[in-house]
Amino acid sequence: MITLALAISAFEPLLWSKRAMVTIVMGTRIPVEGADLVRPVCLDERIRVQVLLALTSGRTCADARAEQDAAARQLGLSGAEIDAARGGNCFDVKAAAAVRLACALRVSKPDAVWQAQKTAVAAGLRPEDLTMIESLAAAARAMDGGDGT
């Protein structure tokens, strides 16, 4: 089973290079073409984790889910918050907007993406946050074979 969760295993900062390999939980890696960022400092860790939980929902093995749960709890997420994120929802407005955007980007629905972007900006997400969410969703699509399912 494919395991996807960018930097969720230890919540280490993502380190990118021209042909970066993005760290995925359980050691799986995928290439990200054209990544020039040295160390993205954006997207609050709690929000990033909730986005990752939403993007990996139903795509991780039991061991990976347990590891994700433990890591999310270290950041202070409750069991209800973890379950909500896996269901594509969040209790926090900003996190909910980020998760909705990531999910819309993953399935490549232009109208949903446009609306989710508007909502994300209104919720206070910065352009660099949106870029990080787009990168996470693109990585999820790549793991799915590019079809977003």
Side-chain angles (χ1 to χ4, degrees):
M1 180 167 258
I2 294 173
T3 303
L4 169 71
L6 295 158
I8 199 170
S9 61
F11 298 104
E12 72 274 11
L14 295 175
L15 299 176
W16 304 65
S17 64
K18 192 63 177 170
R19 293 186 57 99
M21 295 300 283
V22 180
T23 302
I24 310 297
V25 77
M26 304 298 286
T28 306
R29 295 175 179 269
I30 59 170
V32 176
E33 296 294 327
D36 290 325
L37 300 173
V38 174
R39 182 174 183 232
V41 182
C42 56
L43 200 58
D44 174 86
E45 283 299 312
R46 286 176 54 96
I47 294 174
R48 184 186 329 212
V49 169
Q50 290 173 84
V51 166
L52 294 170
L53 289 169
L55 291 173
T56 61
S57 179
R59 293 168 176 84
T60 55
C61 65
D63 289 340
R65 283 178 60 97
E67 192 172 312
Q68 288 176 338
D69 288 354
R73 287 181 192 281
Q74 284 181 345
L75 288 175
L77 291 170
S78 69
E81 289 173 306
I82 293 168
D83 291 341
R86 282 203 174 104
N89 296 302
C90 296
F91 301 126
D92 175 73
V93 173
K94 199 174 197 180
V99 165
R100 268 189 232 108
L101 176 58
C103 291
L105 285 163
R106 181 178 192 149
V107 296
S108 301
K109 292 186 177 179
D111 290 340
V113 169
W114 182 77
Q115 187 60 44
Q117 285 173 331
K118 283 182 25 181
T119 302
V121 170
L125 290 167
R126 302 165 301 166
E128 54 269 27
D129 296 330
L130 302 180
T131 300
M132 176 58 74
I133 293 165
E134 289 169 7
S135 296
L136 296 173
R141 271 196 320 274
M143 291 297 290
D144 290 338
D147 64 1
T149 58

